[in-house]
Amino acid sequence: MLIGRPHQIPSSEITPERLYRAFMDRRRFLKTVAGVGAAASVYGLADLALPFPAFGAPSFTGVRRSPLSTDEAQTSFRNVTPYNNYFEFSTEKDAPATLAKDFQPRPWPVAIEGEVANPGVYDVDELIKPYTLEERVYRLRCVEAWSMVVPWIGFPLADLVKRSRPTGKARFVEFVGLHDPTRMPGQHSRPMGLEWPYREGLRLDEAMHPLTILAVGLYGQVLPNQNGAPIRLIVPWKYGFKSIKAITKIRFVDTQPATTWSSYAPREYGFYANVNPTVDHPRWSQSNERRIGEFFRRNTLPFNGYMDQVASLYSGMDLHVHY
Ligand SMILES: Nc1nc2c(c(=O)[nH]1)N[C@H]1C(S)=C(S)[C@@H](COP(=O)(O)O)O[C@H]1N2
Ligand SMILES: [Mo]
């Protein structure tokens, strides 16, 4: 039980032994250290104004800031991490944090497959090794009309796409989540008839866009389980359901893949799912949103505020048809 002053207990005493070892032999990770000042100096990231890391979680070092980050106020760690959509665990917002507490996100094989010259299956830490990690502070807009601003840690999906060397046939990228009811209790049932595993997809040019990242952390530390550990997609101009958690397969394909929410209710959730205040959900308005931690609602921005960067991807498309 974490009562009292947990930061004074060395993390080596509380971090699960296996996780601790796994991280200690990787130079990009540091164990949690005591004290805000100490943490900042060990990261070498004092200028990032990192908040105090959560108790016991391994943290990243050598992470670069990005000019693609927003300087909007960040949603606090304690608002980002207990309020989740993660149906593999529960349909209740506050349940995944508890139900995923003992989930083991390592070791974690990820398959790169399909229309690529360089397929393979990699453990997640091997998979991410070649890439430079960056902090990306992005708005996240859920289709349910709430939003957050989250400092993710990750790398451009484009880097992985290039390294995978897609063939001329590859036009879409399909993402598949973990299917293991023994580890994900919500998969014992199919809420609303949803199919497992969770699936998502992007057009290849969307996957290559510099804003699209694979995230492995947030707020300076490894992804909490409930936020999609060990690796998830983040596509900040699309509704949050596109940003699939706990990815096990990245598959390059020639036709538009079936995705979880658009298969479930195609009239309500399109394949593109670009944030669009002018296309309402059949059952509610998308014109405004509740920023978690704020009192007043705010207007929703086209493409979630990333219009200048991404609108050209959709030139010539009727976004009321391709929603
Ligand atoms: N595998 C998986 N990924 C998922 C979901 C899910 O239920 N399962 N929910 C999505 C939805 S609807 C949202 S809004 C975001 C929420 O991410 P967060 O919990 O990190 O805020 O994750 C998305 N990714
Ligand atoms: Mo969502």
Side-chain angles (χ1 to χ4, degrees):
M1 287 289 99
L2 308 183
I3 298 165
R5 295 176 296 168
H7 303 317
Q8 295 183 349
I9 304 168
S11 65
S12 54
E13 287 177 18
I14 52 83
T15 308
E17 177 65 13
R18 201 155 61 95
L19 187 67
Y20 182 72
R21 273 207 317 275
F23 282 106
M24 284 307 285
D25 65 3
R26 293 188 170 88
R27 280 184 301 151
R28 284 200 288 186
F29 299 103
L30 286 184
K31 67 189 175 110
T32 305
V33 292
V36 174
S41 63
V42 175
Y43 293 131
L45 284 179
D47 60 329
L48 277 184
L50 284 169
F52 199 85
F55 180 52
S59 301
F60 294 97
T61 184
V63 176
R64 297 201 305 210
R65 348 170 49 151
S66 167
L68 297 172
S69 287
T70 175
D71 53 14
E72 263 174 76
Q74 297 173 20
T75 306
S76 70
F77 183 89
R78 60 171 199 286
N79 277 335
V80 168
T81 52
Y83 185 87
N84 304 99
N85 270 336
Y86 204 169
F87 279 30
E88 286 92 330
F89 288 94
S90 170
T91 55
E92 301 296 322
K93 295 278 185 296
D94 61 351
T98 313
L99 292 172
K101 196 162 47 70
D102 298 323
F103 181 76
Q104 296 290 329
R106 286 178 165 79
W108 187 275
V110 182
I112 309 294
E113 57 187 42
E115 292 293 341
V116 283
N118 190 18
V121 180
Y122 308 83
D123 183 68
V124 66
D125 293 315
E126 290 301 315
L127 180 79
I128 70 175
K129 214 177 243 173
Y131 310 112
T132 306
L133 297 180
E134 295 172 35
E135 184 184 64
R136 296 280 184 102
V137 186
Y138 284 161
R139 291 175 290 276
L140 173 78
R141 176 31 166 104
C142 177
V143 75
E144 298 163 339
W146 54 264
S147 65
M148 297 178 173
V149 177
V150 184
W152 303 107
I153 290 179
F155 60 92
L157 176 60
D159 292 355
L160 184 143
V161 171
K162 286 175 205 153
R163 212 182 167 82
S164 307
R165 287 187 281 126
T167 71
K169 281 189 176 166
R171 290 177 54 235
F172 294 87
V173 187
E174 178 182 13
F175 304 86
V176 184
L178 179 68
H179 191 190
D180 186 349
T182 66
R183 298 164 69 191
M184 295 179 142
Q187 289 184 335
H188 286 300
S189 64
R190 292 174 44 199
M192 296 129 62
L194 284 186
E195 307 269 2
W196 303 120
Y198 198 98
R199 291 174 193 278
E200 259 308 332
L202 295 171
R203 238 170 39 192
L204 189 60
D205 59 345
E206 297 176 319
M208 300 283 290
H209 192 280
L211 284 172
T212 306
I213 61 168
L214 287 172
V216 294
L218 58 72
Y219 267 114
Q221 59 179 250
V222 291
L223 272 183
N225 291 337
Q226 65 269 28
N227 293 93
I231 188 163
R232 72 176 297 179
L233 184 66
I234 297 292
V235 197
W237 71 93
K238 293 177 180 285
Y239 291 119
F241 67 81
K242 297 294 290 183
S243 294
I244 177 175
K245 299 173 173 181
I247 295 169
T248 60
K249 288 192 173 79
I250 301 176
R251 186 181 292 146
F252 292 75
V253 294
D254 61 357
T255 48
Q256 183 175 304
T259 60
T260 296
W261 285 100
S262 61
S263 303
Y264 161 72
R267 312 254 309 247
E268 300 185 16
Y269 311 100
F271 174 80
Y272 283 95
N274 294 316
V275 174
N276 190 340
T278 71
V279 176
D280 287 339
H281 186 279
R283 290 180 278 125
W284 60 85
S285 166
Q286 294 292 24
S287 69
N288 58 72
E289 66 200 53
R290 182 171 61 97
R291 179 70 51 88
I292 302 300
E294 291 182 359
F295 184 72
F296 294 106
R297 296 182 74 87
R298 52 168 72 213
N299 288 335
T300 288
L301 302 173
F303 298 104
N304 200 23
Y306 299 98
M307 182 160 76
D308 290 349
Q309 292 103 306
V310 302
S312 64
L313 291 171
Y314 310 103
S315 58
M317 281 174 66
D318 182 346
L319 298 179
H320 290 81
V321 175
H322 300 281
Y323 51 85

